[in-house]
Amino acid sequence: MIFLPASTALLLAALSRLGNATPLLSTGQKCRNVPGSAGFPAPTAWNAFNSTISGRLVAAIPSAEFCVNRGGCTDAEWTSAVFRNHIPGAMNQINWEQGYDLTPPSLCVVNGTACGQGDVPLYSVEAQTVADVQAAVKFATTNDLRVAIKSSGHDYLGRSTAPHSLLIHTNNLTNLSFTDAFFVGNESLGSAVTVGPGVHLTLIYQESKALGRIAVGGSAATVCAAGGYLQGAGHSSLSPTFGLAADNVLEFQIVVASGELLQVNSITNPNLFYALRGGGAGSWGVVVSATFRTFPTFNSTFGLFTLSAANNKAMAALATLHAQHIFDFEATNSSQYFIVEADLTGTTTTSTMTLETYMINQTVEQSQAIIAPFLTAAQALPGVAIVSSKYTYGLMNDLLNHPDDSVGNDLVMGSRLIPESTYRNSPETVGEVYQQLLDAGTPIIFGNLVAGGKVAENANIDSAVNPAWRTAKTHLIVINGWLDSTSQDNVNALRSKFRNTQLPILEQMSGPNAGSYSNEADVMEADFQTTFFGPNYAKLSAIKSKYDPDDLFIVGAGVGSERWDEWGLCTV
Ligand SMILES: Cc1cc2nc3c(=O)[nH]c(=O)nc-3n(C[C@H](O)[C@H](O)[C@H](O)COP(=O)(O)OP(=O)(O)OC[C@H]3O[C@@H](n4cnc5c(N)ncnc54)[C@H](O)[C@@H]3O)c2cc1C
Ligand SMILES: *[C@@H]1O[C@H](CO)[C@@H](O)[C@H](O)[C@H]1NC(C)=O
Ligand SMILES: *[C@@H]1O[C@H](CO)[C@@H](O)[C@H](O)[C@H]1NC(C)=O
Ligand SMILES: *[C@@H]1O[C@H](CO)[C@@H](O)[C@H](O)[C@H]1NC(C)=O
Ligand SMILES: *[C@@H]1O[C@H](CO)[C@@H](O)[C@H](O)[C@H]1NC(C)=O
Ligand SMILES: *[C@@H]1O[C@H](CO)[C@@H](O)[C@H](O)[C@H]1NC(C)=O
Ligand SMILES: *[C@@H]1O[C@H](CO)[C@@H](O)[C@H](O)[C@H]1NC(C)=O
Ligand SMILES: *[C@@H]1O[C@H](CO)[C@@H](O)[C@H](O)[C@H]1NC(C)=O
Ligand SMILES: *[C@@H]1O[C@H](CO)[C@@H](O)[C@H](O)[C@H]1NC(C)=O
């Protein structure tokens, strides 16, 4: 998905609803060492460890405390993903820094003066080398510490932070290199790029441009390809043309729980290669590099259209029309982010639909012809108006390149992959679902038309990518947010709103057992094993027990997490 304007997200709290909180309790048997437990390393042991990693151990603090300590952060800094990347304790969505479920809750909100540590790690290893990563993994294993791994801190499920943990921060591993012939065994798999986990997508678009190449990457500037993106599956506006990002990976280098650095590809450690392509971020080890294909680049047209609907009924009609026309993009493998937003001030019944469309390899004239049937029909709908339309023609690298992403909000989401058959057979269901979601006070419904085409054709690839991707047309996300001033009860209601209210509505469109993309999802999914991993879960569990027998790498709703409490601190 792409980033929201800061103003949008700051208004999300207007949509807060009351509801019952779901307390999450832990009844631990075996627990990781935390400050105060007998096995927790003494200060001398931390100091000795710090010397082995050239002094790259820092005490992590919440981002709000970091800002207060440096005499304040501007609003532009607070909402900048690039700025937050350099704060070891920071997450991009600040709700993940908060310990809402700790007893008592431990919070640190913007400009807060009395700050708790919340869910922020204790210490961070600011890794510069593979040896730093290996030392951190060995220190954590020896001392039975909770480990968290972070590259960009973008994670929408809070999986790159954990209370009382040692963070392995891979933001500084920024190597990047291209080759015309990447070898696995004695076979050249062609042109490829190898990146460290600290490399942002935007840098890949910029650097590949000079070579006349492009790689499959997401719409966000600051997501890290070799971090969580590829491990989740990685969708892109180029996916209908070239497949998912995970479909294009050739090799990983990873430090596993034993501390060993492993080469992982179709020949060497093939089981881990299977797992790292779709088996879920953060569950396998610390990835220190990933290699994936590049393609000859080309020009495309980016079409940005905003439509308004006077009320939910008009938006429902527009959503049905959009569903009926979704196949208009198929012949060219074009892709689209389609975002419906309620009036976040809550003062009118007007909602908007924004269409960010990548017409692949098309001129502006060709693109106008592709979109015209939809826009013409939309204009004829009662209560619907076209607010603006804009076309930008250029190299795909430039169309995808942004300097930064706007973050710094409190938000959670839930999602489902929507089968192509829904759009083909019952597009009117789409409108009904949108109407019910909006009527239920949903602020944002975020659609990703990034499947079909090559994503469907790649069904034969033997990887952990959820097979629901192969029959999907879109990935649909429902977003809920709040302000720091929202009460804890309302925050808890919003955290549970997807499960309690929105999912039953969405399932009318997806069917009851549809999958979801694990990187843009609800960490509280009731049956995450099936929803995120489908039939692959048993195989993934077996691979995990081989490479991570003691569950060093546990993340929320990740493989093996059913054995652990919400924080990955005690077994259940
Ligand atoms: C603004 C925005 C736009 C987005 N757009 C898209 C999009 O277009 N397409 C798409 O598919 N997704 C998109 N996403 C979702 C994105 O793929 C996930 O948030 C992804 O997990 C980010 O990976 P990261 O490493 O950058 O984030 P982090 O928060 O640093 O990490 C995410 C997960 O990966 C693990 N991880 C991070 N680094 C490593 C490492 N070196 N080794 C092992 N595990 C690691 C973490 O432990 C965590 O579980 C978007 C997210 C945002 C915030
Ligand atoms: C680690 O060592 C460096 C360099 O000596 C020092 O600046 C830093 O404060 C130490 N970290 C911790 C957590 O003590
Ligand atoms: C926090 O304080 C800074 C000044 O240090 C100010 O610019 C900013 O607007 C404040 N943010 C909020 C949300 O109050
Ligand atoms: C490592 O990261 C820190 C903090 O994010 C940054 O200040 C520093 O320049 C980085 N160093 C390298 C070598 O990338
Ligand atoms: C980065 O590349 C340099 C030069 O090839 C290499 O020496 C170094 O080990 C690499 N670092 C990492 C973390 O992979
Ligand atoms: C390497 O190439 C030879 C001959 O081309 C082939 O027989 C052999 O199987 C290949 N080895 C691998 C590991 O692919
Ligand atoms: C993209 O379009 C520009 C301007 O029309 C043209 O100069 C350039 O050669 C095109 N690039 C590709 C890769 O087709
Ligand atoms: C774009 O169009 C050109 C010219 O028709 C073609 O050679 C190229 O393969 C196309 N690229 C993609 C990604 O479709
Ligand atoms: C669309 O993608 C598919 C799958 O890669 C490919 O077979 C087809 O040629 C592409 N169509 C166009 C117009 O490029």
Side-chain angles (χ1 to χ4, degrees), residues 58 63 66-67 76-93 97 124-127 150-155 160 167-174 197-203 220-225 403-408:
V58 301
S63 59
F66 174 92
C67 285
E77 286 170 333
W78 183 254
T79 55
S80 157
V82 169
F83 181 77
R84 299 186 80 80
N85 277 171
H86 296 296
I87 309 172
M91 291 292 282
N92 281 349
Q93 277 67 239
E97 297 180 28
S124 174
V125 173
E126 297 293 293
K150 182 169 71 182
S151 289
S152 73
H154 261 314
D155 201 73
S160 36
L167 176 69
I168 302 176
H169 196 191
T170 54
N171 174 54
N172 260 330
L173 303 181
T174 51
V199 173
H200 292 167
L201 289 174
T202 204
L203 191 63
T222 53
V223 159
C224 296
D404 200 352
D405 294 311
S406 177
V407 296

Short mmCIF file of all heavy atoms in Angstrom, two decimals, residues 58 63 66-67 76-93 97 124-127 150-155 160 167-174 197-203 220-225 403-408:
data_model
loop_
_atom_site.label_atom_id
_atom_site.label_comp_id
_atom_site.label_asym_id
_atom_site.label_seq_id
_atom_site.Cartn_x
_atom_site.Cartn_y
_atom_site.Cartn_z
N VAL A 58 23.42 0.36 22.08
CA VAL A 58 22.84 1.59 22.64
C VAL A 58 21.58 1.23 23.45
O VAL A 58 20.92 0.23 23.16
CB VAL A 58 22.45 2.63 21.55
CG1 VAL A 58 23.66 3.03 20.74
CG2 VAL A 58 21.34 2.11 20.65
N SER A 63 10.40 6.88 20.82
CA SER A 63 10.70 8.03 19.96
C SER A 63 10.28 9.35 20.59
O SER A 63 10.95 10.37 20.41
CB SER A 63 10.05 7.85 18.58
OG SER A 63 8.66 7.71 18.67
N PHE A 66 13.01 10.29 22.92
CA PHE A 66 14.15 10.72 22.11
C PHE A 66 13.97 12.18 21.71
O PHE A 66 14.89 12.98 21.79
CB PHE A 66 14.24 9.82 20.87
CG PHE A 66 15.27 10.23 19.86
CD1 PHE A 66 16.56 9.71 19.89
CD2 PHE A 66 14.94 11.14 18.84
CE1 PHE A 66 17.50 10.09 18.96
CE2 PHE A 66 15.89 11.52 17.90
CZ PHE A 66 17.17 11.00 17.96
N CYS A 67 12.76 12.53 21.28
CA CYS A 67 12.50 13.90 20.83
C CYS A 67 12.58 14.89 21.98
O CYS A 67 13.19 15.96 21.85
CB CYS A 67 11.13 13.99 20.15
SG CYS A 67 11.13 13.27 18.48
N ALA A 76 7.31 17.75 11.06
CA ALA A 76 7.84 17.13 9.83
C ALA A 76 8.77 15.97 10.19
O ALA A 76 8.76 14.93 9.52
CB ALA A 76 8.57 18.16 8.98
N GLU A 77 9.59 16.15 11.23
CA GLU A 77 10.47 15.07 11.65
C GLU A 77 9.66 13.90 12.22
O GLU A 77 9.90 12.74 11.89
CB GLU A 77 11.47 15.58 12.70
CG GLU A 77 12.55 16.46 12.10
CD GLU A 77 13.39 17.17 13.16
OE1 GLU A 77 12.90 17.42 14.28
OE2 GLU A 77 14.54 17.50 12.84
N TRP A 78 8.70 14.24 13.08
CA TRP A 78 7.89 13.21 13.76
C TRP A 78 7.20 12.28 12.76
O TRP A 78 7.09 11.08 12.98
CB TRP A 78 6.86 13.90 14.66
CG TRP A 78 6.01 12.97 15.48
CD1 TRP A 78 4.71 12.65 15.27
CD2 TRP A 78 6.42 12.23 16.64
NE1 TRP A 78 4.28 11.77 16.23
CE2 TRP A 78 5.30 11.49 17.08
CE3 TRP A 78 7.63 12.11 17.35
CZ2 TRP A 78 5.35 10.65 18.20
CZ3 TRP A 78 7.67 11.27 18.46
CH2 TRP A 78 6.55 10.56 18.87
N THR A 79 6.77 12.84 11.63
CA THR A 79 6.01 12.06 10.65
C THR A 79 6.89 11.54 9.50
O THR A 79 6.37 10.97 8.54
CB THR A 79 4.86 12.89 10.05
OG1 THR A 79 5.41 14.09 9.50
CG2 THR A 79 3.82 13.24 11.10
N SER A 80 8.20 11.73 9.59
CA SER A 80 9.11 11.29 8.53
C SER A 80 9.65 9.89 8.82
O SER A 80 10.28 9.65 9.85
CB SER A 80 10.28 12.27 8.41
OG SER A 80 11.39 11.64 7.81
N ALA A 81 9.42 8.96 7.89
CA ALA A 81 9.96 7.62 8.05
C ALA A 81 11.49 7.65 8.03
O ALA A 81 12.14 6.93 8.79
CB ALA A 81 9.44 6.70 6.96
N VAL A 82 12.07 8.50 7.19
CA VAL A 82 13.53 8.59 7.10
C VAL A 82 14.10 9.03 8.44
O VAL A 82 15.07 8.45 8.96
CB VAL A 82 13.95 9.56 5.97
CG1 VAL A 82 15.44 9.86 6.04
CG2 VAL A 82 13.57 8.99 4.61
N PHE A 83 13.49 10.04 9.06
CA PHE A 83 13.96 10.52 10.35
C PHE A 83 13.81 9.44 11.42
O PHE A 83 14.74 9.17 12.19
CB PHE A 83 13.16 11.77 10.75
CG PHE A 83 13.58 12.38 12.07
CD1 PHE A 83 14.73 13.14 12.16
CD2 PHE A 83 12.82 12.16 13.21
CE1 PHE A 83 15.13 13.68 13.38
CE2 PHE A 83 13.21 12.71 14.43
CZ PHE A 83 14.37 13.47 14.51
N ARG A 84 12.66 8.78 11.46
CA ARG A 84 12.41 7.77 12.49
C ARG A 84 13.35 6.57 12.34
O ARG A 84 13.68 5.91 13.33
CB ARG A 84 10.94 7.32 12.45
CG ARG A 84 9.95 8.45 12.69
CD ARG A 84 8.53 7.97 12.77
NE ARG A 84 8.23 7.40 14.08
CZ ARG A 84 7.95 8.11 15.17
NH1 ARG A 84 7.88 9.43 15.13
NH2 ARG A 84 7.73 7.52 16.31
N ASN A 85 13.77 6.28 11.11
CA ASN A 85 14.69 5.15 10.87
C ASN A 85 15.97 5.26 11.69
O ASN A 85 16.61 4.26 11.96
CB ASN A 85 15.11 5.11 9.40
CG ASN A 85 14.09 4.41 8.52
OD1 ASN A 85 14.19 4.43 7.33
ND2 ASN A 85 13.09 3.78 9.12
N HIS A 86 16.36 6.48 12.02
CA HIS A 86 17.64 6.64 12.72
C HIS A 86 17.48 6.61 14.24
O HIS A 86 18.46 6.74 14.96
CB HIS A 86 18.32 7.94 12.27
CG HIS A 86 18.68 7.90 10.81
ND1 HIS A 86 19.59 7.01 10.31
CD2 HIS A 86 18.22 8.59 9.74
CE1 HIS A 86 19.69 7.16 9.01
NE2 HIS A 86 18.86 8.11 8.63
N ILE A 87 16.25 6.43 14.73
CA ILE A 87 16.03 6.34 16.17
C ILE A 87 15.88 4.85 16.50
O ILE A 87 14.90 4.23 16.09
CB ILE A 87 14.75 7.11 16.59
CG1 ILE A 87 14.78 8.54 16.02
CG2 ILE A 87 14.60 7.10 18.09
CD1 ILE A 87 13.46 9.29 16.22
N PRO A 88 16.86 4.27 17.22
CA PRO A 88 16.80 2.81 17.42
C PRO A 88 15.48 2.31 18.00
O PRO A 88 14.97 1.28 17.58
CB PRO A 88 17.96 2.57 18.40
CG PRO A 88 18.92 3.68 18.13
CD PRO A 88 18.08 4.88 17.79
N GLY A 89 14.87 3.05 18.93
CA GLY A 89 13.65 2.56 19.57
C GLY A 89 12.37 2.86 18.81
O GLY A 89 11.29 2.44 19.23
N ALA A 90 12.47 3.62 17.69
CA ALA A 90 11.25 4.12 17.04
C ALA A 90 10.60 3.08 16.14
O ALA A 90 11.27 2.36 15.40
CB ALA A 90 11.57 5.36 16.22
N MET A 91 9.29 3.07 16.17
CA MET A 91 8.49 2.38 15.15
C MET A 91 7.88 3.47 14.28
O MET A 91 7.76 4.62 14.69
CB MET A 91 7.41 1.53 15.80
CG MET A 91 7.95 0.33 16.56
SD MET A 91 8.68 -0.92 15.46
CE MET A 91 7.19 -1.72 14.82
N ASN A 92 7.46 3.10 13.08
CA ASN A 92 6.83 4.11 12.23
C ASN A 92 5.42 4.43 12.68
O ASN A 92 5.01 5.59 12.66
CB ASN A 92 6.82 3.65 10.77
CG ASN A 92 8.18 3.88 10.14
OD1 ASN A 92 9.02 4.55 10.72
ND2 ASN A 92 8.40 3.33 8.98
N GLN A 93 4.66 3.40 13.06
CA GLN A 93 3.35 3.63 13.65
C GLN A 93 3.56 3.60 15.16
O GLN A 93 3.90 2.55 15.72
CB GLN A 93 2.35 2.54 13.23
CG GLN A 93 1.71 2.78 11.88
CD GLN A 93 2.68 2.68 10.70
OE1 GLN A 93 2.84 3.63 9.96
NE2 GLN A 93 3.36 1.57 10.55
N GLU A 97 4.94 1.29 19.82
CA GLU A 97 5.87 1.58 20.92
C GLU A 97 5.17 1.52 22.28
O GLU A 97 5.82 1.51 23.32
CB GLU A 97 6.50 2.97 20.73
CG GLU A 97 7.36 3.10 19.48
CD GLU A 97 7.96 4.50 19.35
OE1 GLU A 97 8.18 5.17 20.37
OE2 GLU A 97 8.16 4.94 18.20
N SER A 124 19.72 -1.83 21.77
CA SER A 124 19.78 -2.08 20.34
C SER A 124 21.23 -2.26 19.89
O SER A 124 22.10 -1.48 20.27
CB SER A 124 19.16 -0.90 19.58
OG SER A 124 19.35 -1.08 18.18
N VAL A 125 21.45 -3.30 19.11
CA VAL A 125 22.75 -3.48 18.44
C VAL A 125 22.64 -2.78 17.09
O VAL A 125 21.88 -3.20 16.22
CB VAL A 125 23.06 -4.98 18.25
CG1 VAL A 125 24.32 -5.15 17.40
CG2 VAL A 125 23.21 -5.67 19.59
N GLU A 126 23.38 -1.70 16.93
CA GLU A 126 23.37 -0.94 15.67
C GLU A 126 24.39 -1.60 14.74
O GLU A 126 25.52 -1.14 14.59
CB GLU A 126 23.73 0.53 15.94
CG GLU A 126 22.72 1.26 16.83
CD GLU A 126 21.37 1.43 16.14
OE1 GLU A 126 21.29 2.16 15.15
OE2 GLU A 126 20.40 0.79 16.58
N ALA A 127 23.95 -2.71 14.15
CA ALA A 127 24.89 -3.57 13.42
C ALA A 127 25.48 -2.88 12.19
O ALA A 127 24.76 -2.23 11.42
CB ALA A 127 24.18 -4.85 12.99
N LYS A 150 14.86 -5.37 13.42
CA LYS A 150 14.22 -4.24 12.72
C LYS A 150 15.11 -3.71 11.62
O LYS A 150 16.32 -3.53 11.81
CB LYS A 150 13.90 -3.12 13.73
CG LYS A 150 13.19 -1.93 13.09
CD LYS A 150 12.65 -0.95 14.13
CE LYS A 150 13.77 -0.21 14.81
NZ LYS A 150 13.25 0.70 15.84
N SER A 151 14.49 -3.41 10.47
CA SER A 151 15.20 -2.69 9.41
C SER A 151 14.66 -1.27 9.32
O SER A 151 15.34 -0.31 9.66
CB SER A 151 15.06 -3.41 8.07
OG SER A 151 15.81 -4.60 8.08
N SER A 152 13.39 -1.13 8.88
CA SER A 152 12.81 0.21 8.75
C SER A 152 11.86 0.57 9.89
O SER A 152 11.57 1.73 10.12
CB SER A 152 12.03 0.31 7.43
OG SER A 152 10.82 -0.42 7.53
N GLY A 153 11.32 -0.44 10.58
CA GLY A 153 10.32 -0.18 11.61
C GLY A 153 8.94 0.10 11.05
O GLY A 153 8.07 0.63 11.74
N HIS A 154 8.71 -0.31 9.79
CA HIS A 154 7.42 -0.06 9.15
C HIS A 154 6.32 -1.01 9.61
O HIS A 154 5.16 -0.81 9.29
CB HIS A 154 7.55 -0.25 7.63
CG HIS A 154 7.72 1.02 6.89
ND1 HIS A 154 6.94 2.12 7.13
CD2 HIS A 154 8.59 1.38 5.91
CE1 HIS A 154 7.33 3.09 6.33
NE2 HIS A 154 8.33 2.68 5.58
N ASP A 155 6.69 -2.05 10.30
CA ASP A 155 5.77 -3.17 10.48
C ASP A 155 4.41 -2.77 11.04
O ASP A 155 4.30 -2.17 12.10
CB ASP A 155 6.40 -4.24 11.36
CG ASP A 155 5.73 -5.57 11.14
OD1 ASP A 155 5.98 -6.16 10.09
OD2 ASP A 155 4.95 -5.98 12.01
N SER A 160 8.49 -5.67 14.72
CA SER A 160 9.89 -5.29 14.80
C SER A 160 10.24 -4.60 16.13
O SER A 160 11.23 -3.89 16.22
CB SER A 160 10.31 -4.45 13.59
OG SER A 160 9.28 -3.58 13.17
N LEU A 167 17.28 -5.61 20.64
CA LEU A 167 16.98 -5.36 19.23
C LEU A 167 18.23 -5.53 18.38
O LEU A 167 19.30 -5.04 18.74
CB LEU A 167 16.45 -3.93 19.06
CG LEU A 167 16.17 -3.49 17.61
CD1 LEU A 167 14.98 -4.24 17.03
CD2 LEU A 167 15.93 -1.98 17.54
N ILE A 168 18.09 -6.24 17.27
CA ILE A 168 19.15 -6.28 16.25
C ILE A 168 18.68 -5.36 15.14
O ILE A 168 17.72 -5.66 14.42
CB ILE A 168 19.40 -7.72 15.77
CG1 ILE A 168 19.76 -8.61 16.98
CG2 ILE A 168 20.50 -7.74 14.71
CD1 ILE A 168 19.94 -10.08 16.64
N HIS A 169 19.32 -4.20 15.05
CA HIS A 169 18.88 -3.13 14.14
C HIS A 169 19.74 -3.20 12.89
O HIS A 169 20.96 -2.95 12.94
CB HIS A 169 19.04 -1.78 14.85
CG HIS A 169 18.30 -0.66 14.20
ND1 HIS A 169 18.50 0.66 14.55
CD2 HIS A 169 17.37 -0.65 13.22
CE1 HIS A 169 17.71 1.43 13.81
NE2 HIS A 169 17.01 0.66 12.99
N THR A 170 19.13 -3.57 11.77
CA THR A 170 19.90 -3.81 10.54
C THR A 170 19.82 -2.65 9.55
O THR A 170 20.18 -2.79 8.38
CB THR A 170 19.42 -5.12 9.86
OG1 THR A 170 18.00 -5.05 9.66
CG2 THR A 170 19.72 -6.33 10.72
N ASN A 171 19.35 -1.52 10.06
CA ASN A 171 19.21 -0.31 9.26
C ASN A 171 20.51 0.17 8.61
O ASN A 171 20.50 0.84 7.58
CB ASN A 171 18.65 0.75 10.21
CG ASN A 171 18.54 2.12 9.63
OD1 ASN A 171 17.94 2.28 8.59
ND2 ASN A 171 19.13 3.11 10.29
N ASN A 172 21.65 -0.18 9.25
CA ASN A 172 22.94 0.29 8.74
C ASN A 172 23.60 -0.67 7.76
O ASN A 172 24.71 -0.40 7.29
CB ASN A 172 23.91 0.53 9.91
CG ASN A 172 24.00 2.00 10.28
OD1 ASN A 172 23.83 2.86 9.44
ND2 ASN A 172 24.27 2.27 11.54
N LEU A 173 22.95 -1.77 7.45
CA LEU A 173 23.53 -2.72 6.49
C LEU A 173 23.04 -2.33 5.11
O LEU A 173 22.02 -2.81 4.63
CB LEU A 173 23.15 -4.17 6.85
CG LEU A 173 23.55 -4.62 8.26
CD1 LEU A 173 23.14 -6.07 8.49
CD2 LEU A 173 25.05 -4.46 8.49
N THR A 174 23.78 -1.42 4.48
CA THR A 174 23.26 -0.75 3.28
C THR A 174 24.05 -1.07 2.02
O THR A 174 24.05 -0.29 1.07
CB THR A 174 23.23 0.78 3.50
OG1 THR A 174 24.51 1.18 3.96
CG2 THR A 174 22.19 1.16 4.54
N PRO A 197 19.77 -5.37 4.30
CA PRO A 197 18.43 -5.10 4.79
C PRO A 197 18.16 -3.63 5.12
O PRO A 197 17.01 -3.24 5.30
CB PRO A 197 18.31 -5.97 6.05
CG PRO A 197 19.71 -6.23 6.47
CD PRO A 197 20.54 -6.23 5.22
N GLY A 198 19.22 -2.80 5.16
CA GLY A 198 19.00 -1.39 5.43
C GLY A 198 18.69 -0.58 4.17
O GLY A 198 18.42 0.62 4.25
N VAL A 199 18.74 -1.22 3.00
CA VAL A 199 18.53 -0.49 1.74
C VAL A 199 17.04 -0.26 1.50
O VAL A 199 16.26 -1.21 1.46
CB VAL A 199 19.15 -1.26 0.55
CG1 VAL A 199 18.78 -0.61 -0.78
CG2 VAL A 199 20.66 -1.34 0.71
N HIS A 200 16.67 0.99 1.36
CA HIS A 200 15.28 1.35 1.10
C HIS A 200 14.94 1.11 -0.37
O HIS A 200 15.80 1.26 -1.24
CB HIS A 200 15.04 2.83 1.43
CG HIS A 200 15.13 3.13 2.88
ND1 HIS A 200 15.21 4.40 3.38
CD2 HIS A 200 15.13 2.31 3.96
CE1 HIS A 200 15.26 4.36 4.70
NE2 HIS A 200 15.23 3.11 5.07
N LEU A 201 13.68 0.78 -0.63
CA LEU A 201 13.24 0.53 -2.01
C LEU A 201 13.61 1.69 -2.92
O LEU A 201 14.01 1.49 -4.07
CB LEU A 201 11.73 0.30 -2.05
CG LEU A 201 11.24 -1.02 -1.45
CD1 LEU A 201 9.72 -1.05 -1.43
CD2 LEU A 201 11.78 -2.20 -2.24
N THR A 202 13.47 2.90 -2.42
CA THR A 202 13.69 4.06 -3.28
C THR A 202 15.12 4.09 -3.83
O THR A 202 15.35 4.50 -4.97
CB THR A 202 13.31 5.36 -2.55
OG1 THR A 202 13.00 6.34 -3.52
CG2 THR A 202 14.38 5.85 -1.61
N LEU A 203 16.08 3.61 -3.02
CA LEU A 203 17.46 3.59 -3.48
C LEU A 203 17.63 2.57 -4.62
O LEU A 203 18.37 2.81 -5.57
CB LEU A 203 18.39 3.25 -2.31
CG LEU A 203 19.87 3.44 -2.57
CD1 LEU A 203 20.19 4.91 -2.84
CD2 LEU A 203 20.71 2.94 -1.40
N ALA A 220 6.14 2.13 -1.25
CA ALA A 220 6.71 2.96 -0.19
C ALA A 220 8.19 3.17 -0.43
O ALA A 220 8.90 2.24 -0.80
CB ALA A 220 6.48 2.32 1.16
N ALA A 221 8.65 4.39 -0.20
CA ALA A 221 10.05 4.72 -0.42
C ALA A 221 10.95 3.98 0.56
O ALA A 221 12.03 3.53 0.20
CB ALA A 221 10.23 6.23 -0.23
N THR A 222 10.51 3.87 1.80
CA THR A 222 11.42 3.51 2.88
C THR A 222 11.25 2.08 3.38
O THR A 222 11.87 1.70 4.36
CB THR A 222 11.25 4.50 4.05
OG1 THR A 222 9.86 4.54 4.40
CG2 THR A 222 11.70 5.88 3.66
N VAL A 223 10.40 1.30 2.73
CA VAL A 223 10.34 -0.13 3.06
C VAL A 223 11.67 -0.77 2.65
O VAL A 223 12.28 -0.36 1.66
CB VAL A 223 9.14 -0.80 2.35
CG1 VAL A 223 9.31 -2.30 2.24
CG2 VAL A 223 7.83 -0.46 3.07
N CYS A 224 12.12 -1.76 3.41
CA CYS A 224 13.40 -2.42 3.11
C CYS A 224 13.13 -3.77 2.45
O CYS A 224 12.53 -4.65 3.07
CB CYS A 224 14.18 -2.63 4.40
SG CYS A 224 14.64 -1.07 5.18
N ALA A 225 13.57 -3.91 1.20
CA ALA A 225 13.30 -5.14 0.45
C ALA A 225 13.82 -6.36 1.19
O ALA A 225 13.11 -7.36 1.33
CB ALA A 225 13.93 -5.06 -0.94
N PRO A 403 10.90 10.55 -1.95
CA PRO A 403 11.98 10.76 -0.99
C PRO A 403 11.70 10.19 0.40
O PRO A 403 12.62 9.85 1.14
CB PRO A 403 12.11 12.28 -0.94
CG PRO A 403 10.80 12.82 -1.43
CD PRO A 403 10.25 11.79 -2.37
N ASP A 404 10.45 10.07 0.79
CA ASP A 404 10.16 9.73 2.20
C ASP A 404 8.73 9.18 2.26
O ASP A 404 7.98 9.26 1.28
CB ASP A 404 10.28 11.00 3.06
CG ASP A 404 10.48 10.70 4.55
OD1 ASP A 404 10.39 9.52 4.96
OD2 ASP A 404 10.74 11.66 5.30
N ASP A 405 8.37 8.63 3.40
CA ASP A 405 6.99 8.22 3.65
C ASP A 405 6.47 8.95 4.88
O ASP A 405 7.23 9.21 5.82
CB ASP A 405 6.90 6.70 3.89
CG ASP A 405 7.28 5.91 2.66
OD1 ASP A 405 6.75 6.21 1.59
OD2 ASP A 405 8.13 5.00 2.77
N SER A 406 5.18 9.25 4.87
CA SER A 406 4.57 9.96 5.98
C SER A 406 4.01 8.96 6.98
O SER A 406 3.14 8.16 6.65
CB SER A 406 3.44 10.86 5.45
OG SER A 406 2.80 11.48 6.52
N VAL A 407 4.55 8.98 8.19
CA VAL A 407 4.17 8.00 9.22
C VAL A 407 3.95 8.73 10.56
O VAL A 407 3.59 9.90 10.56
CB VAL A 407 5.25 6.90 9.34
CG1 VAL A 407 5.35 6.10 8.05
CG2 VAL A 407 6.61 7.49 9.70
N GLY A 408 4.15 8.05 11.68
CA GLY A 408 4.05 8.71 12.98
C GLY A 408 2.66 8.74 13.58
O GLY A 408 2.37 9.53 14.46
#
